[in-house]
Amino acid sequence: MAIEKTYTMIKPDGVRNGHIGEIVNRFERAGLTIERMELTNVTEQQARSNYAEHEGKPFYDGLISYILSGPVVKMVVSGEGAVKKVRTLMGATNPADAAPGTIRGDFGLVMDENVIHGSDSPESAEREIGVFFG
């Protein structure tokens, strides 16, 4: 596997509930490198750009409101097979389906507030890094 970069974001519920340190620790223990990290609020433009594929779906407005509801930790993470590795560490999108030991399995409570976002492909990672870090 090649060294790649991916984008990940600890969402407002993960920040609010104090999971930043544990999540970063899990990435580092998995052999990933945090290249950039920033605690910030997402702008509406960034939110709409990042979730454009969901526009028009019933949950879209709630998703945008949620991601704007508080600070997030945005990160560029790198390592061998970083996209797949981060997705594995995150667990299933729905915390109810996420295995214990995954970020969502351990910290997620409901589908609408599932702690963390991660790029689903190297192409998405490149686009999302551009959206959030310019």
Side-chain angles (χ1 to χ4, degrees):
M1 269 193 185
I3 300 294
E4 61 188 11
K5 292 182 182 184
T6 191
Y7 175 76
T8 188
M9 173 174 52
I10 303 172
K11 294 179 178 180
D13 61 308
V15 172
R16 184 173 50 252
N17 293 324
H19 300 306
I20 298 168
E22 176 60 27
I23 292 169
V24 169
N25 189 288
R26 288 181 188 205
F27 289 159
E28 291 179 330
R29 283 195 323 253
L32 296 164
T33 300
I34 309 299
E35 289 196 8
R36 293 182 74 176
M37 183 167 70
E38 182 180 341
L39 175 70
T40 189
N41 287 82
V42 172
T43 68
E44 187 169 346
Q45 181 180 354
Q46 289 171 325
R48 292 191 183 284
S49 180
N50 190 56
Y51 294 113
E53 67 195 58
H54 300 301
E55 190 169 5
K57 295 179 181 172
F59 60 86
Y60 178 76
D61 289 337
L63 177 61
I64 298 299
S65 294
Y66 159 64
I67 210 67
L68 297 175
S69 69
V72 302
V73 174
K74 58 184 187 175
M75 292 178 272
V76 176
V77 177
S78 67
E80 194 168 311
V83 171
K84 183 176 181 179
K85 196 173 278 188
V86 166
R87 304 247 347 136
T88 299
L89 290 167
M90 289 186 335
T93 302
N94 186 342
D97 299 330
T102 65
I103 293 166
R104 289 178 176 144
D106 291 348
F107 305 127
L109 300 175
V110 294
M111 178 74 167
D112 293 344
E113 294 189 7
N114 63 1
V115 184
I116 193 163
H117 166 85
S119 301
D120 62 5
S121 69
E123 296 77 21
S124 292
E126 185 175 344
R127 181 185 65 78
E128 292 174 350
I129 290 168
V131 166
F132 290 101
F133 285 104

